[in-house]
């Protein structure tokens, strides 16, 4: 080096003969410079070398030996951070300039710096044809695994399971769709399993290999086995010349060694990767292989571990709850890296959850979404995921092109498929809720017999085979979440979205969507008759499983303006929506149907409007729900049906309900129930008896009401309908509670709740059953049980968004607070319930009930004027229904007011009038029971009994005259389901 002067052959550099010798001499000089620098490092002159090495690197930034020397010199001089930065600079330069990673020796040096290895002794020579192995001072193998720059989140169980599989066996393949995180998991699993591989953990990236014949060479290169003789004491490389077949050389090199080889991204080289794995495992008993692929390699001894997406949180998760889910943790971690200070909070958690759920918890998609948070808010990213392939297209610049955008990841899988597999992928994408085999065959198969040899044609009998191939390729998952455990085929939403694009491009969207809609309309129509019988739970479960498909098919029919098809859906699903408390779905569907022109004048149209009205009567808070109009329209359509065409049971019920609605809830209502009571269908008879029982109770005819309930119970048992049984038991429990048999009433209410829970509940379960159960438990002193029921009911009410349900919860909670003597809390809860019932659609009796309870609080506080005003409104509300039990409740409140104002005789008369209208005493009203005892003491038995008898003899008409309130109006409280909470005070 000291004798060297200027460029090599400077005087002849312009002549053709000089170029090759000049290059050779320059290379020798650079090698000498590197050898001298290495010797200086060994001598401890590291600090003096840094400026010289930096200048050399600046002149030749891609020369790895120079970079390695600079990294060692920087570290040796105490500049660890600069050493790591130098490695990062080299890695970026190689990736941008050549599309490759640093060599294994430089990777090993990087690991040594990270570990702060005190020796940093470099790479030692290996045996001939063996892989170059770097060992730390303890002798443990390091291999060529690169240090990771990001955290590893949410795969603890996967890591444990893969480690166990590698311990128990020698060949494990991680399968899963693109972007699931197989590569990162394989590296972390390899790092964790280093103890099983004394001769190193070697990562072999195959993504950029296109020729299957190059697979063995790629492994040899990763291991450091060179194809030509090379001996350098400085680098430690030592290998023999090429000995023929690379696979033979690889097997020979590994024959006596115990490495773990990670074959990454094998899906496009399956045959070649399988041959290599089979040969290595057979000839090298100490070797282990961990592969990643979108489908199995299919080698004997292969054990599969599916890499699933990260679990996303529930849609309604709070910030604290969401943060416990790995998908959210990953998004938060990567978002904080690009947007410092980012955190999941109560303000953004809903949008964070939307992102994680929309992206199916796929790590790559989540990381791409997090990168967008540099320029967009969380809400903006969530809102734009409908166009996810346009949004998520800015990945790492050092990643392979097919891993830089979401579209590229999915297109890589598409490009590996044959025409039949592509056809089933795009057609299966029409199923938002996945598909059973029968549905997939009905919708995804080619409709006509294809000509022999037609490319891409899939007859019905071949659909299963193609689905199985897509399952093998991790594009379709098999789940057994249906009621019968039959396999269903689902797609991740990103894969499905890509399939929908391809469906449109293929010109098949219209045909496939119609086939999908027709299939599920047929399913709904098949299920509908079973919803009234003993098998109803099985069919409800089937419809639940297909809910997404049913909804999508119905919306498609409506959007297409296909009125006959839309009518089929709404008529078939109306009772299902009612049973499951899906009020909003019913309202939206019937509103859309009502807006469609030229509805077919068929029975199904009438039934659709009738079921829509029933769903609204079941407690809808929607202002756009025209229950009365729908019911009357159903009646008009039904009256036009030919007499020889049997009416559907639901329509027979709707006809009577419409008549009661138009004529009013009055004593003559029983006359219109005659057709129902004589119906041959036990379900229709049960409903007729149930309605009749409530009519009787409504007008104080307790004994006959009880008989109707008993007959309704028998009819529903014959039909097998658990819904009818539930509400009939509620009516019977109400009568038990009035008689003071609170324990027996609790038993019936609990049974009613259990029966309804099988359907998933609904507003009426809260209003008619659970709140009355709370009242009875409170009367028994079991306040803790009552509060537990209220807490569970609150979650249900918030889910369905029922204002009346929320009011009922506050009213029941106020009863408990009043029993405890907490006047302030009672008033707070009741005032909120009063506000909730202002202008509430539905029965006016419930507001009357809340006002009476609030008036009692006024009397407790001595505010007689406020109590009188509330009781007046309550009486008007109760009378306009009319609802005698609620009227009786108001009279008891007026009695308490009269006694408060010094008129015990009038108070006793009002109590008597209440009992007369109710048809008997009601021991579920503690205020009335206590008032009666006080009045008997104040008046004496004889005077009290006389006043009570005078009041009991008064009629409803007497009440209207004496209180000077308007009479009933032609209005009905939710036929056929009665009034809520009619006995609680």
């Amino acid at each position: 080096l000291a004798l060297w002067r200027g460029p090599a052959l400077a005087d002849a550099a312009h002549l053709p003969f000089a170029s090759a010798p000049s290059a050779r001499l320059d290379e020798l000089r650079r090698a000498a410079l590197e050898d001298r620098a290495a010797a200086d490092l060994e001598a401890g002159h590291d600090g003096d070398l840094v400026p010289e090495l930096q200048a050399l690197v600046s002149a030749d930034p891609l020369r790895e030996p120079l970079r390695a020397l600079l990294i060692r010199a920087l570290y040796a001089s105490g500049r660890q951070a600069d050493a790591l930065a130098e490695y990062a600079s080299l890695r970026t330069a190689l990736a941008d300039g050549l599309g490759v990673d640093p060599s294994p020796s430089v990777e090993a040096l990087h690991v040594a710096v990270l570990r702060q290895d005190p020796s940093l002794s470099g790479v030692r020579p290996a045996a001939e044809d063996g892989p170059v192995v770097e060992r730390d001072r303890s002798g443990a193998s390091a291999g060529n695994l690169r240090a990771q720059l990001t955290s590893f989140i949410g795969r603890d169980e996967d890591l444990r399971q893969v480690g166990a599989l590698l311990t128990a066996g020698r060949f494990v393949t991680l399968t899963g769709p693109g972007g699931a995180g197989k590569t990162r998991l394989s590296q972390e699993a390899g790092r964790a399993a280093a103890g099983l591989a004394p001769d190193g953990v070697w990562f072999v990236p195959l993504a950029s290999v296109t020729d299957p014949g190059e697979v063995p060479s790629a492994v040899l290169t990763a291991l450091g086995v060179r194809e030509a003789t090379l001996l350098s004491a400085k680098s430690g490389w030592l290998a023999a010349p090429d000995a023929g077949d690379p696979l033979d050389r690889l097997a020979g090199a590994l024959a006596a060694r115990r490495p773990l080889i990670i074959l990454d991204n094998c899906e496009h080289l399956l045959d070649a990767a399988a041959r290599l794995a089979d040969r290595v495992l057979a000839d090298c008993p100490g070797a282990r292989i961990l592969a990643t692929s979108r489908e199995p390699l299919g080698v004997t001894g292969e054990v599969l571990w599916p890499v699933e997406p990260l679990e996303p949180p529930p849609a309604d998760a709070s910030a604290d709850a969401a943060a416990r889910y790995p998908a959210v943790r990953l998004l938060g971690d990567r978002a904080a890296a690009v947007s410092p200070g980012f955190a999941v909070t109560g303000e953004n958690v809903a949008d964070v959850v939307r992102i994680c759920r929309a992206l199916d918890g796929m790590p790559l998609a989540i990381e791409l979404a997090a990168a967008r948070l540099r320029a967009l808010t969380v809400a903006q990213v969530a809102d734009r995921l409908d166009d996810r392939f346009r949004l998520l297209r800015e990945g790492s610049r050092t990643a392979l092109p097919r891993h830089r955008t979401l579209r590229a990841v999915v297109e890589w899988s598409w490009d590996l498929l044959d025409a039949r597999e592509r056809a089933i992928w795009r057609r299966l994408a029409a199923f938002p809720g996945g598909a059973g085999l029968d549905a997939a065959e009905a919708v995804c198969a080619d409709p006509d017999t294809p000509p022999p040899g037609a490319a891409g044609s899939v007859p019905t009998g071949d659909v299963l085979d193609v689905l199985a191939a897509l399952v093998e390729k991790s594009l379709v998952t098999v789940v057994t979440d249906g009621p019968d455990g039959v396999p269903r085929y689902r797609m991740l939403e990103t894969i499905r979205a890509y399939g929908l694009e391809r469906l449109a491009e293929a010109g098949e969207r219209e045909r496939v969507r119609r086939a999908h809609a027709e299939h599920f309309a047929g399913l709904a129509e098949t299920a509908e008759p079973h919803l009234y019988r003993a098998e109803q739970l099985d069919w409800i479960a089937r419809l639940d499983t297909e809910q997404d498909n049913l909804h999508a098919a119905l919306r498609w029919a409506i959007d297409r303006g296909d009125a006959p098809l839309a009518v089929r859906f709404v008529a078939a699903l109306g009772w299902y929506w009612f049973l499951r408390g899906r009020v909003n779905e019913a309202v939206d569907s019937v509103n859309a149907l009502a807006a469609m022109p030229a509805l077919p004048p068929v029975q199904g149209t009438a039934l659709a409007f009738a079921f829509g009205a029933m769903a609204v009567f079941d407690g809808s808070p929607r202002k756009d729900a025209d229950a009365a109009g729908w019911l009357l329209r159903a009646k008009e359509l039904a009256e036009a049906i030919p007499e020889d065409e049997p009416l559907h049971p639901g329509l027979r019920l709707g006809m009577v309900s419409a008549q009661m609605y138009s004529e009013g809830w009055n004593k003559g209502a029983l006359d219109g129930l005659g057709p129902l009571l004589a119906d041959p269908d036990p379900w229709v008879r049960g409903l007729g008896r149930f309605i009749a029982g409530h009519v009787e109770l409504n007008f104080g005819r307790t004994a006959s009401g009880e008989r109707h309930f008993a007959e309704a119970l028998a009819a529903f048992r014959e039909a097998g309908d658990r819904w009818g049984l539930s509400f009939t038991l509620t009516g019977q429990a109400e009568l038990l509670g009035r008689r003071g048999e609170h324990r027996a009433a609790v038993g019936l209410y609990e049974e009613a709740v259990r029966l309804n829970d099988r359907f998933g509940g609904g507003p009426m379960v809260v209003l008619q059953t659970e709140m009355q159960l709370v009242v009875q438990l409170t009367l028994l002193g079991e306040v803790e049980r009552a509060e537990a029921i209220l807490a569970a009911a609150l979650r249900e009410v918030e889910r369905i968004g029922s204002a009346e349900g929320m009011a009922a919860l506050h009213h029941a909670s106020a009863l408990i607070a009043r029993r405890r003597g907490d006047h302030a809390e009672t008033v707070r809860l009741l005032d909120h319930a009063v506000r909730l019932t202002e202008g509430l659609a539905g029965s006016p009796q419930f507001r009357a009930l809340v006002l009476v309870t609030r008036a009692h609080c006024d009397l407790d506080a001595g505010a007689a004027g406020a109590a009188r005003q509330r009781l007046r409104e309550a009486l008007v509300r109760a009378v306009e229904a009319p609802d005698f039990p609620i009227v009786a409740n108001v009279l008891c409140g007026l009695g308490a007011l009269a006694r408060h104002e010094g008129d015990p005789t009038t108070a006793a008369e009002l109590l008597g009038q209440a009992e007369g209208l109710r048809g008997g005493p009601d021991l579920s009203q503690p205020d009335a029971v206590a008032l009666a005892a006080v009045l008997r003491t104040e008046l004496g038995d004889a005077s009290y009994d006389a006043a009570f008898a005078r009041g009991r003899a008064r009629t409803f008409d007497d009440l209207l005259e004496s209180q000077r309130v308007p009479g009933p109006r032609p209005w009905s409280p939710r036929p056929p389901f009665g009034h809520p909470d009619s006995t609680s005070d």
Side-chain angles (χ1 to χ4, degrees):
L1 289 173
L3 297 174
W4 190 278
R5 296 289 184 275
L9 303 180
D11 294 336
H14 62 287
L15 299 176
F17 84 90
S19 58
S22 174
R24 184 180 66 83
L25 290 171
D26 281 335
E27 177 59 28
L28 286 172
R29 178 172 179 264
R30 280 194 294 268
L33 282 169
E34 291 164 11
D35 287 340
R36 196 221 70 214
D40 284 346
L41 276 173
E42 293 294 333
H45 304 311
D46 36 77
D48 298 332
L49 279 173
V50 169
E52 179 187 359
L53 288 172
Q54 286 176 329
L56 292 171
V57 165
S58 178
D60 196 355
L62 296 181
R63 189 172 180 84
E64 289 186 74
L66 272 176
R67 289 273 196 157
L69 287 169
L70 177 56
I71 291 170
R72 290 180 60 197
L74 288 168
Y75 179 83
S77 60
R79 298 166 62 181
Q80 180 182 2
D82 291 337
L84 293 173
E86 189 65 29
Y87 168 82
S89 174
L90 170 62
R91 179 183 172 190
T92 300
L94 289 172
D96 289 345
L98 303 176
V100 298
D101 292 324
S103 66
S105 60
V106 176
E107 293 273 12
L109 176 61
H110 179 226
V111 172
V113 172
L114 288 171
R115 291 177 176 176
Q116 297 184 336
D117 188 334
S119 62
L120 281 179
S121 55
V123 179
R124 304 195 185 287
E128 184 174 330
D129 266 0
V132 179
V133 178
E134 187 211 348
R135 300 180 183 274
D136 63 22
R137 299 185 72 180
S138 66
S141 173
N144 71 339
L145 286 180
R146 297 169 55 179
Q148 297 297 329
L149 302 179
T150 58
S151 56
F152 185 61
I153 293 173
R155 296 290 189 190
D156 294 343
E157 180 61 18
D158 291 274
L159 207 54
R160 188 183 69 80
Q161 292 288 352
V162 174
L165 293 176
L166 285 171
T167 301
R170 297 175 55 216
F171 183 22
V172 178
T173 299
L174 308 181
T175 61
K182 302 183 295 297
T183 297
R184 181 64 185 273
L185 175 60
S186 71
Q187 294 171 334
E188 297 297 334
R191 212 179 312 279
L196 300 173
D199 290 309
V201 179
W202 302 91
F203 183 79
V204 183
L206 297 177
S208 59
V209 178
T210 57
D211 183 353
E214 295 296 323
V215 171
S217 298
V219 179
L220 287 169
T221 299
L223 293 172
V225 180
R226 299 301 191 236
E227 297 293 332
T229 304
L230 176 65
L231 176 62
S232 169
K234 172 179 67 68
S235 68
W237 297 115
L238 180 65
D242 189 350
D245 183 0
L247 191 52
D248 292 337
R249 294 187 67 241
L250 178 63
L254 298 179
R257 297 187 177 278
R258 297 171 61 194
L260 170 60
I261 299 173
I262 301 174
L263 300 176
D264 185 51
N265 283 303
C266 299
E267 56 270 0
H268 61 303
L269 302 163
L270 285 174
D271 291 342
R275 286 195 298 271
L276 183 145
D278 184 65
R279 176 71 181 277
V280 168
L281 293 171
D283 291 0
C284 312
R288 284 179 167 82
I289 293 177
L290 176 61
T292 75
S293 176
R294 300 189 188 188
E295 61 181 302
L297 272 63
V299 176
T300 301
E302 180 183 29
V303 179
L304 304 180
W305 181 256
V307 181
E308 305 288 347
L310 298 175
E311 184 181 5
D316 58 351
S318 65
D320 290 340
R324 293 192 288 270
Y325 285 82
V328 173
R329 287 164 44 209
L330 178 65
L331 179 65
D333 180 84
R334 301 304 190 257
V338 300
S339 179
F342 177 88
V344 179
T345 66
E347 288 72 29
N348 66 16
V349 65
D351 294 316
V352 167
V353 169
R354 282 171 60 202
I355 293 171
C356 294
R357 290 178 64 84
L359 298 177
D360 300 301
M362 293 296 288
L364 176 62
I366 289 174
E367 292 187 348
L368 292 172
R372 278 297 191 183
L373 294 177
R374 286 192 295 263
L376 299 173
T377 67
V378 183
Q380 288 175 317
V381 171
D383 290 339
R384 284 165 170 75
L385 285 178
D386 286 343
D387 192 9
R388 63 187 64 202
F389 295 117
R390 180 184 296 273
L391 179 71
L392 306 181
R393 57 181 184 179
E394 292 187 5
S396 171
R397 290 175 180 166
T398 62
L400 289 171
R402 65 178 183 166
H403 285 157
R404 292 182 185 177
T405 71
L406 190 61
R407 179 180 294 279
V409 170
V410 184
E411 281 183 340
W412 172 256
S413 294
W414 177 268
D415 292 340
L416 296 176
L417 302 183
D418 62 29
R420 285 156 49 94
E421 292 166 340
R422 292 177 181 179
I424 295 299
W425 175 349
R426 64 179 180 255
R427 295 168 189 171
L428 192 65
F431 292 82
L437 180 58
D438 59 340
E441 289 176 334
V443 176
C444 298
D446 284 281
D448 302 315
T449 302
S457 296
V458 187
T460 302
D462 291 353
V463 169
L464 176 58
D465 293 337
V466 182
L467 278 174
L470 293 175
V471 171
E472 285 289 292
K473 293 173 170 58
S474 303
L475 294 167
V476 173
T477 58
V478 180
V479 296
T480 54
D481 56 0
D484 48 11
V486 174
R488 292 177 59 79
Y489 304 94
R490 293 183 182 273
M491 286 180 168
L492 295 175
E493 193 58 31
T494 295
I495 294 173
R496 179 174 166 265
Y498 185 83
L500 288 174
E501 286 188 3
R502 292 294 189 170
L503 186 68
E505 290 175 9
E508 297 180 337
R509 181 166 55 189
E510 180 72 17
R511 178 185 68 78
V512 171
R513 291 298 300 272
R514 178 162 292 281
H516 176 272
E518 292 283 355
H519 176 81
F520 284 102
L523 173 66
E525 289 170 332
T526 301
E528 195 269 342
H530 298 283
L531 300 179
Y532 314 93
R533 298 293 184 258
E535 63 273 18
Q536 61 189 173
L537 294 181
D538 293 335
W539 284 93
I540 287 173
R542 288 190 64 178
L543 294 177
D544 281 348
T545 300
E546 301 291 0
Q547 175 61 25
D548 290 340
N549 286 316
L550 290 165
H551 181 77
L554 169 58
R555 297 312 307 175
W556 181 84
I558 291 172
D559 292 342
R560 293 287 298 166
D562 191 333
L565 185 56
V567 164
R568 289 175 60 193
F569 271 110
V570 180
L573 293 174
W575 193 248
Y576 162 72
W577 291 331
F578 176 85
L579 290 176
R580 296 291 281 117
R582 299 183 186 276
V583 178
N584 287 332
E585 192 160 359
V587 172
D588 289 341
S589 300
V590 178
N591 270 331
L593 203 65
M596 298 181 76
L599 288 177
V602 296
Q603 187 170 164
T605 305
L607 187 61
F609 283 114
F611 278 150
M614 292 176 193
V616 174
F617 283 135
D618 196 25
S620 171
R622 298 275 295 269
K623 303 297 185 183
D624 59 343
D626 182 15
W630 296 342
L631 199 56
L632 295 178
R633 190 168 180 181
K635 183 175 183 291
E636 292 171 0
L637 287 166
E639 289 172 345
I641 295 173
E643 293 184 2
D644 59 347
E645 181 179 338
L647 286 183
H648 185 282
L651 199 51
R652 301 202 290 274
L653 169 65
M655 292 282 286
V656 173
S657 298
Q659 181 179 345
M660 295 173 65
Y661 192 96
S662 60
E663 296 179 1
W665 186 260
N666 53 50
K667 293 182 180 181
L670 283 175
D671 297 338
L673 293 174
L676 300 184
L677 302 182
D679 199 280
D681 188 322
W683 182 79
V684 177
R685 288 201 312 275
L687 274 175
R689 293 292 177 183
F690 176 70
I691 298 169
H694 268 291
V695 171
E696 297 285 44
L697 290 187
N698 207 61
F699 294 104
R701 299 190 287 265
T702 305
S704 57
E706 195 163 7
R707 287 195 301 271
H708 280 301
F709 284 149
E711 293 180 21
L713 203 64
F716 284 130
R717 290 192 191 282
E718 180 184 348
D721 178 31
R722 297 163 183 83
W723 172 84
L725 287 174
S726 170
F727 281 97
T728 305
L729 289 172
T730 296
Q732 292 181 322
E734 179 180 327
L735 294 174
L736 289 173
R738 288 188 189 181
R739 293 198 293 264
E741 299 177 37
H742 304 307
R743 180 60 62 193
V746 164
L748 292 186
Y749 281 132
E750 288 177 333
E751 178 63 17
V753 170
R754 279 193 295 271
L755 287 169
N756 254 296
D757 280 347
R758 306 289 294 276
F759 300 116
M764 292 301 292
V765 180
V766 175
L767 293 175
Q768 292 230 139
T769 308
E770 293 188 350
M771 293 306 95
Q772 293 194 46
L773 174 58
V774 166
V775 170
Q776 298 299 317
L777 289 172
T778 303
L779 292 172
L780 289 170
E782 299 182 19
V783 175
E784 290 185 2
R785 285 188 61 197
E787 290 178 327
I789 293 172
L790 287 174
L794 177 62
R795 292 190 293 272
E796 172 66 11
V797 167
E798 289 176 340
R799 179 185 71 83
I800 61 181
S802 171
E804 191 166 358
M806 189 63 69
L809 282 170
H810 280 77
H811 182 248
S813 300
L815 298 179
I816 295 175
R818 189 159 181 250
R819 183 179 179 87
R820 286 176 167 163
D822 189 342
H823 179 79
E825 178 65 5
T826 303
V827 168
R828 185 189 70 80
L829 291 166
L830 288 174
D831 284 345
H832 191 52
V834 169
R835 287 192 297 272
L836 287 170
T837 57
E838 288 177 0
L840 189 67
S843 59
Q845 304 98 305
F846 183 61
R847 178 167 175 82
L849 181 70
V850 175
L851 289 170
V852 170
T853 309
R854 181 64 178 88
H856 280 293
C857 292
D858 291 330
L859 294 176
D860 292 341
R868 182 180 299 105
Q869 185 177 352
R870 296 185 204 279
L871 290 168
R872 177 68 181 180
E873 182 187 349
L875 185 61
V876 171
R877 295 282 187 174
V879 162
E880 71 182 26
D883 190 324
F884 283 13
I886 297 295
V887 171
N889 192 292
V890 180
L891 290 175
C892 291
L894 290 169
L897 175 62
R899 191 257 172 185
H900 180 83
E901 294 180 334
D903 190 353
T905 300
T906 298
E909 291 173 348
L910 288 168
L911 290 184
Q913 189 174 14
E915 182 170 305
L917 291 177
R918 191 190 301 112
D922 186 354
L923 300 181
S924 291
Q925 295 191 35
D927 284 309
V929 172
L931 177 60
V934 171
L935 292 174
R936 186 175 291 277
T937 299
E938 292 180 352
L939 294 172
D941 290 341
S943 297
Y944 175 80
D945 290 340
F948 189 89
R950 289 194 301 274
R952 205 177 194 288
R954 294 173 184 162
T955 65
F956 183 68
D957 292 336
D958 293 334
L959 171 67
L960 298 181
E961 183 179 352
S962 64
Q963 296 293 333
R964 285 183 269 183
V965 293
R969 63 181 182 180
W971 186 92
S972 171
R974 296 190 190 151
F977 313 120
H979 48 77
D981 217 6
S982 62
T983 61
S984 61
D985 181 10

